Amino acid sequence: MTTVKKDALIAEITEICARSGRAEAELLSTEPAPYRNLFSPYQLADIPLPNRCLIAPKTMVGGSFVPNDIARRFYLARAEAGLLTTGPLSTGRDSDPLLLQRWMSLNERLHAKGAHILLQLQQDGTVKHALSLASAGAAAGFDGVCIDARIQDDELTQIVREIRARLGSGFLILCRVSLSSAVPESGLNPKKNGRYRGLAEQLERMTELARAGADGLEVSIGCPETPWLLSPASQLPAGCFAEAARALKAHFRVLGIRSAVIASGRLSDPGLAEALLKKGYCDLVSLDGAGIGDPAWFRKAATGQEETICPCALPLYPLSPEKERIAVIGAGCRGLNYALQASDAGHSVDLYEERLRPGGDLALFPSSAAEVKKELLAYLLEELKKRPQIRLRTGTRADAELLKKGAYDRIVFACRPEAVSTPAVQGWGEIPFITAESLEEAFSGQWKKKRIAVLGSDDLACDIAWALQNEGQVRRCVLLTDKPTVMSGEPEEDRAWFMHHFRLRGGQMMTGKRISRIRFHTIFTEDPISGEEGYVRCDLIILAQREPAPLRLYEEAVRERLAPQIQIL
């Protein structure tokens, strides 16, 4: 076994990711529509596919493995993809094979539409149980399995070999693998012992998988030390794993191996997907982000409407089959997304926004900040224009009287809790401070050589801190919070990317620290558990923290029963 030091491996896979980012610009500039390779048929083992796309969600659709109404809407709307997978199901002993029978009805409906669906297994259990789940999946009408073994893959070759022997050549086997992964050895922690496989060794393991019976390999880059690469963080460039796919495809070509190579890594732009296929980087592309999030992706890509594709995945919300009159409070991305879905389902929607323009907190940022989220906001606002039946009421603060007068069937709160009031600490006011609503001052240039502390832990606080530090707006930005971590509730890969790269840019994170006092342009902190004291020098404070308590209007709406259904997104 090759032993590769942790730091060397991170540098190696980061360089591959950077090369993929450079390749993206070259590829996108050369492949306009029509996308003949992307929409050409492909024979994957015994299964004829109408195109070269795979839709494989990395999480449970609808929040549960058993298909609910959200999952049924999701899959049936994307049947034209040709090849889909379920969300991941653990191969541990707690996974009951009988659950798979609950998919039988949906599988039949997908087959009737010409689609094929695979059972996605998360390899974290035994070979025996993985084989049992695969057999139960075949009985439930699944066309094959997609085994996610990006972290634990020591028994993957044996699993593939035994599934192939039991279920035959007509049962499709795909594997999701990483070209750089930790070596799981009994009694050793791979994060501490520093033993990792390098790329050359991983290519040989991919060869073993193909020869054991794997029909296709979806390849990514990453190891437990780089979780933002195991599943691509939204901050990474499109096509960030392209070079890994090309390396595996070239390796298979030399050896004469016919297993399909599936490229992944923020592939949602049809022009990039077409270029990867045309230039021989891969045989299939695994769509994510917009490719999964926009149900009209295939129609838009095939008809030259690429500019109207949603830039990222959006959550689906449960909607009543009965037509309702709905009030949505807050016209940020969540409120806009819910309003669009509800309107498309035939509900009557009033959308309230206290500010003079929609966009929520994103409307506060300069155009250069929070770029990915601003692209999403622009898309949602453009979609809103196409639906004049949604009544947008900006500059309107919703209150109990207004909501009662509207006689709504459902009230949906999509706004943030109020900002925390100024901390009650000794010396507060000695350092100038602004709230998140006054961000233009922080980006005005007058603080370029100064030190700024951002108080908060959610995505708003992190977006502010990243924009200031990354763009060189300040001498140093410090993210300070009494919470144990930041971006709680956000995707793990996005959180890990931010924490790693914020520090790389020179930013400082102080989590789990409570402000004890302020004096002489210095914030003194205390660890509430250990009592350890610290300090950070600061010229400006930005208040971006939020109350975790429910919204006051929500509490009043529930108490006064302003609508039969009241919920918070």
Side-chain angles (χ1 to χ4, degrees):
M1 177 184 296
T2 303
T3 300
V4 182
K5 291 295 184 181
K6 179 180 68 176
D7 292 344
L9 182 67
I10 291 178
E12 182 178 28
I13 58 184
T14 301
E15 172 57 23
I16 290 177
C17 193
R19 289 206 304 271
S20 295
R22 291 195 293 270
E24 174 207 5
E26 173 189 348
L27 292 166
L28 280 174
S29 65
T30 58
E31 299 302 330
Y35 308 116
R36 295 186 176 88
N37 290 279
L38 185 62
F39 291 106
S40 65
Y42 184 79
Q43 187 73 26
L44 183 60
D46 293 339
I47 295 181
L49 301 177
N51 52 57
R52 303 291 190 94
C53 301
L54 165 68
I55 289 184
K58 305 301 190 292
T59 58
M60 298 291 189
V61 177
S64 169
F65 180 77
V66 176
N68 52 23
D69 178 62
I70 290 178
R72 285 188 287 270
R73 284 165 48 202
F74 176 90
Y75 285 104
L76 292 173
R78 292 158 178 81
E80 60 187 312
L83 187 61
L84 308 101
T85 80
T86 67
L89 177 66
S90 168
T91 57
R93 296 183 183 277
D94 292 338
S95 295
D96 187 353
L98 294 178
L99 284 176
L100 302 179
Q101 295 298 318
R102 305 280 292 275
W103 279 83
M104 189 173 292
S105 174
L106 177 56
N107 290 348
E108 291 174 352
R109 294 177 68 183
L110 289 170
H111 290 152
K113 287 176 169 286
H116 302 276
I117 183 166
L118 309 180
L119 169 64
Q120 185 180 167
L121 298 176
Q122 179 75 46
Q123 173 49 20
D124 52 10
T126 64
V127 175
K128 181 179 179 181
H129 204 57
L131 185 59
S132 175
L133 290 170
S135 299
F142 287 100
D143 299 289
V145 291
C146 176
I147 307 172
D148 189 343
R150 289 170 296 168
I151 296 179
Q152 179 178 327
D153 65 354
D154 52 332
E155 297 179 314
L156 183 57
T157 301
Q158 183 182 351
I159 292 172
V160 170
R161 187 177 292 114
E162 294 199 18
I163 290 177
R164 177 62 67 223
R166 175 177 293 190
L167 299 177
S169 61
F171 192 74
L172 197 64
I173 302 176
L174 302 184
C175 298
R176 181 177 289 141
V177 294
S178 171
L179 282 185
S180 300
S181 70
V183 180
E185 296 182 18
S186 178
L188 295 177
N189 184 340
K191 289 188 178 182
K192 293 182 179 179
N193 64 31
R195 292 171 61 83
Y196 293 91
R197 303 189 194 103
L199 296 181
E201 186 174 351
Q202 283 296 81
L203 287 173
E204 290 305 315
R205 291 178 65 84
M206 303 305 103
T207 302
E208 294 175 10
L209 282 174
R211 289 173 173 164
D215 299 301
L217 301 177
E218 179 187 323
V219 59
S220 66
I221 308 168
C223 60
E225 290 295 320
T226 55
W228 61 90
L229 292 176
L230 280 172
S231 291
S234 62
Q235 300 96 327
L236 290 174
C240 54
F241 301 154
E243 292 292 336
R246 180 163 68 167
L248 183 59
K249 181 66 177 174
H251 184 70
F252 278 3
R253 189 181 295 116
V254 170
L255 298 178
I257 293 175
R258 300 184 64 183
S259 295
V261 173
I262 306 170
S264 64
R266 299 202 64 230
L267 290 179
S268 59
D269 187 296
L272 176 56
E274 171 71 13
L276 294 177
L277 292 165
K278 183 176 180 179
K279 300 198 175 203
Y281 278 52
C282 57
D283 302 294
L284 299 170
V285 292
S286 179
L287 302 179
D288 55 13
I292 290 180
D294 194 334
W297 189 92
F298 288 87
R299 175 181 57 80
K300 292 176 180 178
T303 56
Q305 302 179 62
E306 305 91 332
E307 298 300 321
T308 66
I309 291 175
C310 177
C312 63
L314 291 171
L316 289 172
Y317 297 109
L319 299 169
S320 171
E322 304 294 331
K323 298 300 180 269
E324 294 180 332
R325 179 170 167 76
I326 301 176
V328 179
I329 315 301
C333 289
R334 284 180 298 172
L336 289 166
N337 181 30
Y338 185 94
L340 292 172
Q341 290 184 33
S343 178
D344 290 347
H347 300 289
S348 173
V349 180
D350 288 340
L351 180 57
Y352 294 96
E353 172 55 52
E354 182 178 358
R355 297 187 179 100
L356 295 178
R357 55 179 177 172
D361 291 324
L362 286 178
L364 306 173
F365 282 76
S367 59
S368 58
E371 182 178 350
V372 174
K373 293 180 180 179
K374 279 188 168 289
E375 289 180 9
L376 172 59
L377 176 60
Y379 166 82
L380 292 171
L381 292 176
E382 193 61 33
E383 291 297 306
L384 183 65
K385 293 178 183 177
K386 301 175 185 177
R387 295 165 177 82
Q389 67 272 26
I390 298 177
R391 292 171 292 278
L392 173 62
R393 302 183 178 181
T394 56
T396 303
R397 184 180 181 86
D399 55 24
E401 182 179 355
L402 179 64
L403 296 177
K404 185 176 182 179
K405 186 181 299 185
Y408 294 106
D409 301 301
R410 184 181 300 270
I411 300 174
V412 178
F413 288 88
C415 49
R416 289 180 180 271
E418 297 294 331
V420 172
S421 57
T422 56
V425 297
Q426 179 184 347
W428 182 264
E430 290 192 18
I431 299 176
F433 70 91
I434 60 174
T435 65
E437 282 69 23
S438 306
L439 280 180
E440 290 184 1
E441 180 179 343
F443 287 91
S444 64
Q446 62 176 309
W447 303 99
K448 195 169 183 65
K449 300 298 182 180
K450 304 294 184 179
R451 297 158 296 193
I452 291 183
V454 179
L455 306 189
S457 64
D458 63 6
D459 57 332
L460 171 64
C462 292
D463 282 340
I464 294 171
W466 171 255
L468 289 169
Q469 188 67 45
N470 185 52
E471 297 180 13
Q473 294 282 348
V474 295
R475 177 178 172 185
R476 166 170 282 193
C477 186
V478 178
L479 185 60
L480 176 59
T481 176
D482 58 357
K483 302 294 189 298
T485 188
V486 298
M487 294 177 68
S488 177
E490 296 296 312
E492 171 60 24
E493 58 269 20
D494 288 0
R495 188 179 72 87
W497 185 96
F498 167 77
M499 293 175 65
H500 178 75
H501 289 85
F502 181 63
R503 291 189 177 107
L504 279 184
R505 294 291 193 278
Q508 181 180 354
M509 290 184 58
M510 300 179 68
T511 57
K513 307 297 182 185
R514 183 172 55 204
I515 298 177
S516 58
R517 65 188 186 280
I518 296 175
R519 189 179 183 189
F520 301 133
H521 279 262
T522 302
I523 301 175
F524 292 89
T525 64
E526 179 184 26
D527 188 310
I529 297 176
S530 66
E532 181 182 357
E533 294 186 341
Y535 69 91
V536 59
R537 300 194 183 280
C538 177
D539 300 299
L540 175 70
I541 295 174
I542 299 178
L543 279 171
Q545 54 192 357
R546 304 281 173 165
E547 286 281 11
L551 298 165
R552 290 191 294 271
L553 181 57
Y554 168 78
E555 294 176 326
E556 185 176 0
V558 172
R559 185 173 59 252
E560 299 295 330
R561 299 180 181 179
L562 298 181
Q565 300 293 331
I566 303 172
Q567 66 187 88
I568 297 178
L569 293 184

